[in-house]
Amino acid sequence: EFSLTALPPFLFPTFFNFHTFYIAYTKRYWGDLAWMMTFYIRFFCTYGSLLEIKSVLAYYFILRMLESSWFVWVSQMNHIPMDIYYDRNLDWASSQLLATCNVEQSLFNDWFTGHLNFQIEH
């Protein structure tokens, strides 16, 4: 049985999927819309031949939830503002160096972040 308590984690991936299509359609980005459709066609053709539609949708949304969590962890750990309490009228590069940080190097951090733990160099 499906519980309504499981629904909230699905809302963001669902909203962003529909919103991305909505923006592409309303702004008439036909090329982008076509490329996005090719992903979904390939995804559903590939996994639809192996699984029922319920399982394909569950698989897709579980992947999106994991991807979203990973993206937040990777992007936010390096973009936590370091020393920006007020505007010092610095140039862009100096401001960026003050606003980012490298995360401790380890085998796990290097693998998990794809070496984006070196945010200053990135």
Side-chain angles (χ1 to χ4, degrees):
E1 290 222 3
F2 185 76
S3 171
L4 287 179
T5 58
L7 192 57
F10 292 110
L11 292 178
F12 277 121
T14 304
F15 171 76
F16 287 122
N17 276 327
F18 286 116
H19 189 69
T20 303
F21 276 98
Y22 173 77
I23 294 296
Y25 178 76
T26 57
K27 301 259 187 198
R28 299 175 192 229
Y29 296 151
W30 305 122
D32 292 342
L33 195 57
W35 276 113
M36 288 188 297
M37 290 302 297
T38 61
F39 166 77
Y40 291 101
I41 291 168
R42 286 180 296 140
F43 184 86
F44 283 102
C45 285
T46 301
Y47 295 107
S49 64
L50 302 171
L51 304 167
E52 299 176 4
I53 190 67
K54 271 190 333 189
S55 299
V56 171
L57 289 172
Y59 178 61
Y60 175 76
F61 282 110
I62 288 169
L63 284 175
R64 289 300 304 235
M65 286 183 352
L66 291 173
E67 172 195 25
S68 298
S69 299
W70 173 82
F71 178 76
V72 168
W73 276 98
V74 170
S75 63
Q76 291 304 308
M77 73 179 185
N78 302 67
H79 290 86
I80 299 169
M82 299 300 288
D83 187 26
I84 310 178
Y85 297 109
Y86 56 90
D87 188 10
R88 297 182 186 170
N89 295 322
L90 298 172
D91 61 294
W92 181 84
S94 299
S95 295
Q96 294 301 306
L97 288 173
L98 288 174
T100 59
C101 64
N102 286 339
V103 177
E104 181 179 332
Q105 182 180 8
S106 71
L107 187 61
F108 177 77
N109 279 345
D110 292 349
W111 167 79
F112 186 73
T113 65
H115 293 278
L116 289 177
N117 51 329
F118 300 105
Q119 190 60 35
I120 293 172
E121 290 83 355
H122 166 70

